[in-house]
Amino acid sequence: MDETPTWRPGSLTGNSELCFSFGVIADIQYADLEDGYNFCGSRRRYYRHSLNLLQSAVDEWNKEDSQLEFVLQLGDIIDGFNAQHKTSESALRRVMNKFKKLRIPIHHTWGNHELYNFTRDYLTQSELNSKSLEDQIFLGSAASGQDSPGATAEEHYYAYHFSPVPKFRFILLDAYDLSILGRDKSTQKYQDSLKLLKEKNPNENLNSPTGLAEPQFVEFNGGFSQAQLDWFNEVLTFSDTNQEKVVVVSHIPVHPGSTESVCLAWNYKDALSVIHSHQCVVCFLAGHLHDGGYYLDSHGVHHLTLEGIVETPPESHAFGTIHVYDDKLVLKGRGRIPDKVMYYTG
């Protein structure tokens, strides 16, 4: 039965050895604006206060012991409203100034709000491109982050992998590789994405899932190109061969059990198919759904969706530290994020 593993007495340490730890935070969506609400008008968003929550998360991480190796920022770092107010660059600068107080590396994923504010070309040249932290191992022709040798910068996908310690690997995926957000309209990938989206979503408002058989096909989601999935498969094959455990990172979740259907990647089934064809993946980390979610799938992969900072009241919080052991991942959550023990099942 798919369920959250029980927290066993002494399981935080038990007989297993702590290998390393890392921080996780999602959907900061900072803007220098008064509080607002989500698109449905049902959830309050604390745009300005999100910066204070980030600062306190940074302070907490800096207090943690030397086992903290890095932080994963799971996307939507500033809110799309910044684009309307022409404050995108200043808002990003304010958030990055907070992150710069960390004494460890930060790995950034890109969400829909990054692409409301900036083009992919801008993001590639910005501090939100953390690809310089990737492992420099050769994995063949699919490892370059582009669809073909002639692909332009606008066609590339933003994905990479790294290994903080032997036998553990992290893979950051680009969930907006297929998307009409942030891409030049003249590119083939934009045209293909628009065609796919309109085939699946006949609504005049492409952000509306009304009446859709596949509600994930809305403009604020995206998907993975075949080239990226081929690259993903190559990295997982490498990890299988080298008996590594892998954590996959994406802004958008890929399992229906860990999110609402309207917050899934367009071709989530393709991503799951790649994951399930390998033995090495132990966890899939995502943001996007501000309520968070969790599911242990039939292949033993833990799908953890992090609660979002932007909808977190000032008196609460929403970040975590994940402690990596040789037999489990232990999430120590703050505020809205609950503690969780995730055992490796393989």
Side-chain angles (χ1 to χ4, degrees):
M1 187 168 70
D2 293 317
E3 59 182 13
T4 304
T6 304
W7 186 292
R8 297 202 291 256
S11 65
L12 204 61
T13 54
N15 295 323
S16 59
E17 180 181 350
L18 177 64
C19 301
F20 65 97
S21 304
F22 62 96
V24 286
I25 194 166
D27 297 273
I28 299 167
Q29 288 184 223
Y30 168 71
D32 188 13
L33 296 172
E34 296 298 324
D35 296 349
Y37 289 87
N38 63 355
F39 296 114
C40 300
S42 59
R43 297 293 298 273
R44 192 166 185 143
R45 292 187 170 179
Y46 305 88
Y47 298 114
R48 186 174 288 135
H49 192 75
S50 66
L51 199 64
N52 296 331
L53 292 185
L54 172 60
Q55 176 65 66
S56 64
V58 168
D59 291 343
E60 284 296 310
W61 283 323
N62 278 335
K63 290 176 186 174
E64 294 192 9
D65 62 37
S66 58
Q67 293 276 33
L68 196 68
E69 294 287 334
F70 57 88
V71 165
L72 296 175
Q73 188 276 115
L74 299 177
D76 283 3
I77 197 169
I78 62 173
D79 195 84
F81 276 131
N82 286 291
Q84 298 177 28
H85 293 275
K86 302 190 186 314
T87 55
S88 300
E89 291 187 337
S90 61
L92 179 60
R93 191 161 51 247
R94 281 187 161 188
V95 175
M96 295 307 290
N97 283 341
K98 298 296 184 186
F99 272 117
K100 285 175 183 176
K101 295 177 181 178
L102 274 172
R103 297 188 289 267
I104 51 177
I106 307 138
H107 294 268
H108 297 284
T109 57
W110 298 349
N112 48 309
H113 282 264
E114 279 81 3
L115 297 167
Y116 296 150
N117 283 282
F118 306 110
T119 65
R120 293 181 68 92
D121 187 53
Y122 181 99
L123 289 171
T124 300
Q125 304 300 321
S126 78
E127 293 178 281
L128 290 180
N129 181 356
S130 50
K131 200 172 179 181
S132 62
L133 300 171
E134 72 179 333
D135 268 14
Q136 300 297 323
I137 60 171
F138 180 69
L139 292 170
S141 59
S144 60
Q146 62 188 59
D147 293 82
S148 67
T152 65
E154 280 285 358
E155 300 278 3
H156 292 188
Y157 55 83
Y158 169 66
Y160 67 93
H161 60 93
F162 67 98
S163 176
V165 301
K167 300 301 180 184
F168 284 92
R169 187 165 302 277
F170 288 72
I171 303 174
L172 276 71
L173 296 181
D174 183 350
Y176 290 89
D177 184 11
L178 299 182
S179 171
I180 63 173
L181 302 176
R183 288 204 185 275
D184 190 293
K185 293 183 179 180
S186 66
T187 62
Q188 188 62 48
K189 195 168 278 188
Y190 175 91
Q191 296 297 331
D192 292 345
S193 298
L194 183 61
K195 182 173 181 288
L196 174 63
L197 181 58
K198 287 191 170 182
E199 285 174 355
K200 297 287 189 176
N201 187 341
N203 294 323
E204 184 176 348
N205 177 5
L206 291 174
N207 273 321
S208 171
T210 302
L212 301 187
E214 299 174 280
Q216 76 270 22
F217 280 98
V218 287
E219 185 175 334
F220 59 78
N221 293 331
F224 313 99
S225 68
Q226 188 58 52
Q228 185 181 176
L229 292 171
D230 290 344
W231 168 85
F232 185 31
N233 184 62
E234 283 197 44
V235 181
L236 294 181
T237 299
F238 176 90
S239 292
D240 276 346
T241 302
N242 290 277
Q243 297 182 305
E244 296 178 333
K245 291 180 173 62
V246 173
V247 175
V248 184
V249 184
S250 163
H251 180 66
I252 309 181
V254 298
H255 200 292
S258 67
T259 186
E260 297 174 0
S261 58
V262 75
C263 285
L264 281 163
W266 286 354
N267 56 339
Y268 71 89
K269 292 178 182 178
D270 294 335
L272 277 178
S273 178
V274 174
I275 291 169
H276 290 161
S277 68
H278 296 273
Q279 302 298 314
C280 54
V281 179
V282 296
C283 184
F284 192 103
L285 293 172
H288 202 42
L289 179 71
H290 298 168
D291 283 341
Y294 171 79
Y295 191 77
L296 174 61
D297 74 23
S298 59
H299 287 71
V301 179
H302 300 273
H303 295 264
L304 180 64
T305 304
L306 271 291
E307 287 79 353
I309 284 281
V310 70
E311 291 182 9
T312 300
E315 66 274 10
S316 186
H317 221 313
F319 74 101
T321 300
I322 296 181
H323 303 287
V324 180
Y325 293 83
D326 56 11
D327 64 339
K328 61 183 172 288
L329 302 174
V330 177
L331 168 64
K332 175 61 180 173
R334 270 70 154 206
R336 295 203 298 141
I337 297 180
D339 294 342
K340 190 174 297 293
V341 178
M342 297 171 281
Y343 289 91
Y344 313 142
T345 60

